[in-house]
Each structure stands twice: as C-alpha cells, then as structure tokens.
Amino acid sequence: MMNIYGDYHVHTPFCPHGSNDALSQYIEQAIAKGLTEISFTEHAPLPKNFTDPAPKRDSSMSWQDLEAYIDVIETVKTQYKTDIRINLGFELDYIEGFEQEVTAFLNQYGPFIDDAILSVHMLKTPDQQYVCLDYSRDEFQHIIHIFGSLKSVYEKYYQTVKQSIVADLGPYKPTRIGHLTLVHKFQQSFPMKDNFEAVTGRLLDLIKQEQLALDLNTAGLYKEDCQEIYPAPAIVHQAIAKGIELKPGSDSHQAETIARGFDQLKQLFA
Ligand SMILES: [Zn+2]
Ligand SMILES: [Zn+2]
C-alpha cells in the first residue's frame, strides 16, 4: 500500500502562474488534512540561455528568487518541525539539448534538495524551436499544427520523457518522474485514437531499471479537458505490478488543493 500521508508535489508563491497563497497556508492546510509530510517542488529556474516558450513566459520561478526560496523553506522547515516534515525540492524541467545546464543547476543546488521531480513540459519542435506542452488548449492545438498531427506530439513527448529517464544529470538527478501522461492534459478536446501502451510500458521498464519513482499526480482529475489522474489508471496498475514506487502529489498551486483527490487513490491499489 502506498503512503498517502504526504503530498509530494506542491508549488509556492514563487511560481508566477500560481496563487500568492503563503507557505504557511499550504503547511497549515496540510496539517489540517492530517498529512505528516509535504514536499515543496517549485519549478526550478529555466536555463539562462533558454527562452521560456510559454506565451506569458511564466513557466518557472526566477533566478532572482532562488536564494530566497531556499531560505524561506529552510525557515519553515524548522518552524514547523514538530508538526510536519517539510522537504525542500524542485520540479525540474528536462529540456532536450539543455542537459548540461540542468546538470550544472543540480550540481550547485543539489546539496539543499531533499526531494525533487523531473518533468517534461517543453518539447523541441522539428524546426529546432521549443514549445510548452501544457500551457493551454489553444497552445496545444498550435503544437499539433507544428508537429503535423496529434500522434506526432504524443511520440515526441514520450521520446523526450524517455530521454529524461536515461539522461545522466549527475549525482543529484531527481529520483521521480513527473506526471508521466501530461500529454493527456487536453484529451477531452483532442482524443488520441492510437494505442501507446507499448511505448508507455517500455518507459515503465526504464523507470524501474533506473530505480526511479513516479509522481502520482491528481491535478489532471480536476482539469476539465483531462479528467484523469497522471499517469492514466492503466499505467498506474502496470507500474504497481512492476514494483515501481508511486508518490502522491496534488501539484497544488494554491493552499486549498493540498492532498486533493487523495481519497480516490486507494481504489487504484485495490
Ligand atoms: Zn506550475
Ligand atoms: Zn509539472
């Protein structure tokens, strides 16, 4: 049985596309929900030589805020230590072609990290540009146009996830893969007819081989255009069968959604 007493994917006021809820509000909500552990996993600053392709350029926290982020999490960690275990972490973008930059970030800040997630949000396009996969429905439609088909977007996404799993990012490489089926985020508008079971099955084998865990991310359940947990339930079942560790995360960008949907996780393990 999985531990659902922690929320291991939580954003903070340092996220430019999230709310301004204070860290204390997230922590107090977690305590009120009976959690014993919480991981703050803010989007790490993007490489300095990479231009955020999101239309509002709001994908990650800024470099300027990085020291303050670390300081304030260290402070609340101590402040609340008798009530809840707080982990300092990041959700780190794996970006094809920027492995050295990501590794340099990890080598510098890794010693401060308790818990981190490696996620793919950015895809390299056939004309060597980058796009942000999960920005909006309209942007997703534009991405399908760039790649020529929905199937090509799925193929490129899973290829990039594969690269993230096997990439050598040094000794501080995150030990967990974020929202494995993020490409499903707009599936109610853009349903995929082809079967990707073989592809995702191979990814799970690689995750097992690399001794990585999976982010069991409930955010998709509440996206109107997704209505599904990440990874999709069939993949969760396969992951369990293969003995891959799953760690629940609400991917909260506001305090009130801490541990949202965790009551539904038990049935996945039934
Ligand atoms: Zn976010
Ligand atoms: Zn993410």
Side-chain angles (χ1 to χ4, degrees):
M1 188 47 210
M2 185 196 37
N3 154 28
I4 50 167
Y5 300 104
D7 189 336
Y8 299 94
H9 190 154
V10 179
H11 292 274
T12 70
F14 291 90
C15 177
H17 58 260
S19 72
N20 289 320
D21 288 358
L23 285 181
S24 57
Q25 291 176 276
Y26 286 91
I27 296 163
E28 276 155 29
Q29 179 75 356
I31 295 167
K33 294 235 166 180
L35 301 187
T36 58
E37 192 170 3
I38 182 172
S39 292
F40 286 113
T41 52
E42 195 46 81
H43 299 284
L46 294 168
K48 286 175 178 155
N49 54 346
F50 176 79
T51 305
D52 184 354
K56 287 189 186 154
R57 312 228 181 287
D58 60 351
S59 296
S60 77
M61 71 182 293
S62 73
W63 284 95
Q64 269 182 341
D65 286 344
L66 185 54
E67 301 289 337
Y69 172 74
I70 292 171
D71 282 353
V72 75
I73 305 273
E74 296 286 6
T75 302
V76 292
K77 206 195 263 193
T78 311
Q79 200 181 332
Y80 287 93
K81 69 167 187 262
T82 56
D83 305 306
I84 190 166
R85 181 192 164 111
I86 297 173
N87 300 312
L88 192 163
F90 292 98
E91 180 178 11
L92 212 82
D93 270 276
Y94 173 81
I95 307 171
E96 179 184 353
F98 286 82
E99 292 81 358
Q100 282 184 1
E101 287 81 352
V102 173
T103 305
F105 175 88
L106 287 167
N107 286 341
Q108 186 171 357
Y109 295 99
F112 299 100
I113 298 176
D114 301 312
D115 186 29
I117 299 170
L118 188 63
S119 295
V120 171
H121 310 97
M122 309 297 177
L123 299 185
K124 191 172 185 177
T125 66
D127 59 350
Q128 317 296 305
Q129 304 291 308
Y130 290 88
V131 289
C132 179
L133 181 74
D134 64 326
Y135 183 79
S136 68
R137 184 190 172 282
D138 283 354
E139 185 63 12
F140 192 79
Q141 184 162 37
H142 179 58
I143 293 169
I144 295 169
H145 179 76
I146 291 172
F147 280 91
S149 69
L150 179 62
K151 189 178 180 188
S152 302
V153 176
Y154 270 62
E155 285 168 350
K156 181 64 187 183
Y157 172 72
Y158 285 128
Q159 234 170 56
T160 311
V161 172
K162 179 184 173 183
Q163 291 168 1
S164 76
I165 295 165
V166 299
D168 177 4
L169 302 178
Y172 297 106
K173 178 174 176 173
T175 53
R176 184 154 79 260
I177 299 296
H179 40 57
L180 187 70
T181 52
L182 184 66
V183 72
H184 291 190
K185 183 168 177 180
F186 304 104
Q187 65 180 354
Q188 300 296 333
S189 296
F190 306 102
M192 170 45 67
K193 306 291 183 218
D194 295 279
N195 189 332
F196 276 83
E197 209 178 308
V199 174
T200 53
R202 282 194 294 274
L203 290 180
L204 292 179
D205 288 337
L206 278 178
I207 286 167
K208 177 72 183 169
Q209 185 188 308
E210 299 293 323
Q211 296 177 292
L212 297 169
L214 278 171
D215 171 37
L216 184 58
N217 186 314
T218 54
L221 288 168
Y222 304 94
K223 309 270 187 218
E224 211 181 316
D225 233 335
C226 184
Q227 297 181 31
E228 183 183 82
I229 196 164
Y230 311 120
I235 299 176
V236 173
H237 292 135
Q238 289 165 353
I240 294 166
K242 289 178 195 286
I244 295 168
E245 186 188 3
L246 294 128
K247 295 201 107 180
S250 65
D251 208 342
S252 283
H253 289 71
Q254 57 191 91
E256 71 168 352
T257 60
I258 287 286
R260 182 165 63 162
F262 284 16
D263 47 342
Q264 294 176 50
L265 295 178
K266 280 184 189 145
Q267 68 203 42
L268 286 167
F269 291 79

